[in-house]
């Protein structure tokens, strides 16, 4: 996925015309270089890269695809990336160290990947995140300590062992699909 593909999907010739880009289902397995995607830095606020394969080789790449997006697209408010075979996320430190760090991200959809509860710790670096969809991942329960690390104000219901049930998505957006 590179600037050429985004221009084509936006049917545009100027990055200023690309505020919302839908690049889902394109069999994209890799992102272009950060400097290539950065031409959209000022204007792109919604990116849908769902149903691709961006996470397929993420563990062997020098830079995680989500870290590339964090570097390239600092104004991104909504990232839709379900069904991408993500098994891990870049560390919170890695996200925070990037130029944009996805600091403006409000909505994140990582549904139907292969993430486990440890991914929540990495999402703690997203200060404005309000809506998080993790449905269809390997997260059934969230340990209270993990939830606290990922969310300052945790209103989720707990069982006797201190776990938050992921089915309580509407009350605890860090626990599952919150839409």
């Amino acid at each position: 996925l590179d600037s050429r593909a985004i221009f084509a999907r936006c049917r545009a010739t100027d990055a200023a015309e690309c505020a919302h880009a839908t690049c889902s289902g394109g069999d994209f397995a890799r992102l272009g270089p950060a400097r290539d995607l950065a031409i959209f830095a000022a204007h792109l606020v919604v990116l849908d890269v769902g149903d691709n394969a961006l996470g397929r080789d993420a563990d062997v790449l020098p830079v995680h695809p989500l870290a590339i997006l964090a570097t390239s697209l600092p104004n991104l408010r909504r990232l839709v990336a379900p069904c991408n075979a993500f098994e891990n996320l870049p560390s919170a430190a890695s996200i925070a160290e990037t130029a944009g760090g996805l600091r403006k991200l409000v909505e994140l959809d990582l549904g139907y990947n292969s993430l486990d509860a440890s991914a929540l710790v990495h999402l703690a670096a997203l200060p404005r995140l309000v809506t998080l969809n993790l449905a269809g991942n390997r997260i059934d329960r969230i340990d209270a300590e993990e939830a606290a690390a990922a969310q300052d104000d945790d209103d989720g219901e707990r069982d006797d062992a201190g776990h938050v049930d992921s089915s309580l998505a509407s009350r605890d957006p860090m626990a599952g699909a919150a839409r």
Side-chain angles (χ1 to χ4, degrees):
L1 177 65
D2 58 12
S3 61
R4 190 175 30 169
I6 293 174
F7 278 128
R9 296 293 176 110
C10 289
R11 295 187 175 135
T13 56
D14 185 339
E17 299 170 4
C18 297
H20 301 237
T22 300
C23 302
S24 58
D27 292 327
F28 297 111
R30 301 266 171 105
L31 290 174
R35 67 182 178 281
D36 179 56
L37 296 173
I39 63 172
F40 301 102
H43 304 286
L44 192 61
V45 294
V46 176
L47 179 60
D48 181 344
V49 291
D51 198 22
N52 283 294
L54 295 176
R56 185 176 58 206
D57 297 324
D59 57 338
V60 297
L61 295 174
V63 180
H64 193 283
L66 294 180
I68 292 172
L69 291 177
T71 300
S72 307
L73 305 171
N75 289 313
L76 208 57
R77 306 264 187 318
R78 180 175 185 229
L79 177 58
V80 181
C83 305
N84 265 290
F86 286 118
E87 293 182 2
N88 59 43
L89 296 177
S91 71
S94 173
I95 292 173
E97 289 172 4
T98 62
L102 299 175
R103 287 185 203 107
K104 295 181 180 179
L105 197 68
V106 174
E107 183 177 340
L108 178 59
D109 182 348
L110 291 171
Y112 300 93
N113 282 288
S114 295
L115 300 171
D116 60 27
S118 67
L120 295 175
V121 174
H122 304 301
L123 297 174
L126 305 176
R128 293 189 179 156
L129 190 64
V130 173
T131 305
L132 175 63
N133 180 3
L134 292 172
N137 281 287
R138 297 178 293 148
I139 303 171
D140 292 327
R141 301 173 76 101
I142 300 170
D143 183 271
E145 291 175 14
E146 289 177 272
Q151 181 180 15
D152 291 335
D153 182 29
D154 181 17
D155 297 326
E157 294 182 22
R158 301 178 190 286
D159 63 14
D160 292 335
H163 294 95
V164 178
D165 187 338
S166 67
S167 66
L168 303 172
S170 64
R171 297 195 49 203
D172 184 2
M174 298 305 288
R179 283 193 147 185

